[in-house]
Amino acid sequence: MGSSPLLSFLVLTSLVVLFVTPSHSSEYDVVQEPAPPVTSRKISRNSEKVTMSLYYESLCPYCSSFIAGPLAQILETDLMTILNLRLVPWGNAILDTNNTIECQHGEDECYLNIIQACAINLWPDLVKPALSDKYLTKKHFDFIKCIEKQYKAPDRNGAEESWEACSGKLRLSTQSIKKCYNSGHGKELVLQNGKETDHLRPPHKYVPWVVVDDTPLLDDYGSFIHYVCKAYKGKSFPKTCSSHPNTSINKDTSLQSVCHASEARSGDSSGKHQIKMEPLA
C-alpha cells in the first residue's frame, strides 16, 4: 500500500502529458489565411516605387505620340528614381473564339505588338546609357520609342524594316527578337497582355490607358506626373515632383486624343488579322 502515492503521481503525470502534448493531427486543424486571388498576371511591384502601366497598341497615333513625347521626356528626369514603368502592348485588339487576333489598325499592328512584347521580355531591366548623363532607362523603351517615331501607319510594307533598323541602331540582337517571334513565344506574351488588359477594372474604353498603382487616369493621362508624385510614399522626393505643375489635358479635346475600343468592336473587318506566325528570315 506504500506504493499507492507513487502510483497515483505517475498516473496523474501521464494524464497531464497526454492533454498538453499536441498530436500531429492538430497541425491540420489550424485555420489558414485565405490564399490571394489568382489574377491573369502578377504585376511586379517595388514598395519604394510607384507602378505606372501604359496599355497601348503599336499603331494608334495617340499612343505613339504619348510614348515618343511625354514618356520619353520623363525618362530623362529623376522621376525614374521612384517610377516603375510598364508597357503593355495589346490595346483594343480582340481575340476571337477561333484564336484569331483582330487589331484595330490592321496586320502590321498585330505584328508590331508581338515584336514589342518580345523586346519587353528580352530586355526588361533598367540600364544606364553609355556615355550619357541620363537617368536609368530601359532598352525596350528606347526600342519601342524608335519604332513609334519611325513607322508610319499608312505604309504597310515598313513594319519589319522599321524594327530591324531600330534594333540595329540600339545594338539589340535582331536574331533574339526573331527567335522570340518564330518560336511562338511572342504570341504567348501578347496574349498574356490581352488577358491582363481584358481584366482591367474598370474596363478600358480607349488607348492610351494609363494606370498608376491600380488607379486609372482616364482622360487625364497627360497629368501622369502629378499622379505618380501623389502616389509616392517614400522620403526621397524627386525634383521633378516639386517643379512640375499639376496640369491636365484640355477636357474639351482629351477624348479626341485616344483610339476608342468601341471603334475596334464596331464590326469593321478592315483591321482584322489572323496571326499566321510565318517565320522571319
Side-chain angles (χ1 to χ4, degrees), residues 7-51:
L7 180 60
S8 299
F9 174 80
L10 291 175
V11 171
L12 180 60
T13 302
S14 300
L15 290 174
V16 170
V17 171
L18 179 63
F19 283 103
V20 171
T21 303
S23 65
H24 291 289
S25 62
S26 66
E27 296 177 2
Y28 301 97
D29 296 331
V30 176
V31 177
Q32 301 291 335
E33 293 294 329
V38 178
T39 58
S40 57
R41 174 185 291 175
K42 182 178 180 180
I43 297 177
S44 177
R45 300 187 187 279
N46 186 318
S47 59
E48 293 297 322
K49 289 191 173 185
V50 177
T51 296

Side-chain angles (χ1 to χ4, degrees), residues 18 21 41 59 85 108 113 117 132 198 206 211-212 221 224 277:
L18 179 63
T21 303
R41 174 185 291 175
L59 296 186
L85 177 62
D108 281 357
N113 283 350
S132 173
D198 290 344
Y206 43 76
V211 178
V212 174
Y221 66 86
F224 69 94
M277 304 304 296

